[in-house]
Amino acid sequence: MFAVEVRDHIMIAHSFRGAIFGPAQALHGATFVIDAAFSAETLDSNGIVIDIGRAHEALKAVLGPLNYRNLDEIPELKGSNTTTEFLTKHIFERLAKDARAGELGRNGRELKRIRITLSESHVARAWYEADLW
């Protein structure tokens, strides 16, 4: 399996519902480093998995509406605990749409899977990984 991974970051504010979250129930900030890995079983005729530049631009576009925002106020996220795990799938779903549509410089049917990793610190991270088809 071949993979290409791109990285960006966002700075957000949010709060959680539920006693399990203790002090994180109050509004607090976070800076997440996001890695998006795109996999294919073969390289294309250009010798690539996908176009790295397009992948990075797609990741930036997905993260843009979240960056410097209070996630509690974004209509599509309202009512959700925007945990690190939750956000990995949220980002995956949007990037998967671009990948399937062939927006990353390769026929989407040739791509196998995407893995999204959110690092919330140097000691803690979560990821979501799934096949595209």
Side-chain angles (χ1 to χ4, degrees):
M1 189 73 64
F2 296 93
V4 164
E5 191 167 24
V6 294
R7 173 179 280 187
D8 208 338
H9 76 282
I10 55 175
M11 295 163 58
I12 58 94
H14 61 171
S15 61
F16 298 133
R17 293 178 330 281
I20 193 167
F21 295 105
Q25 292 175 84
L27 186 64
H28 61 281
T31 299
F32 293 112
V33 174
I34 299 95
D35 295 300
F38 303 85
S39 302
E41 293 179 347
T42 61
L43 300 178
D44 73 2
S45 61
N46 298 302
I48 62 173
V49 173
I50 54 170
D51 181 278
I52 290 175
R54 288 187 190 183
H56 192 240
E57 289 303 315
L59 179 59
K60 281 199 243 182
V62 166
L63 298 178
L66 306 175
N67 200 22
Y68 291 103
R69 297 283 308 275
N70 178 348
L71 302 185
D72 299 345
E73 297 174 353
I74 296 176
E76 68 182 292
L77 302 178
K78 248 190 193 338
S80 299
N81 274 336
T82 53
T83 62
T84 306
E85 297 91 334
F86 174 91
L87 290 172
T88 59
K89 182 138 190 247
H90 176 81
I91 295 165
F92 170 90
E93 289 169 349
R94 277 136 192 87
L95 282 177
K97 182 179 176 186
D98 290 339
R100 289 179 184 122
E103 299 293 324
L104 304 179
R106 185 172 182 173
N107 180 329
R109 282 276 174 198
E110 296 175 8
L111 297 175
K112 176 74 173 158
R113 60 187 12 223
I114 296 175
R115 177 178 175 165
I116 304 298
T117 305
L118 264 72
S119 298
E120 57 180 71
S121 74
H122 65 287
V123 297
R125 66 181 175 260
W127 72 77
Y128 178 81
E129 181 174 8
D131 288 338
L132 288 168
W133 306 99

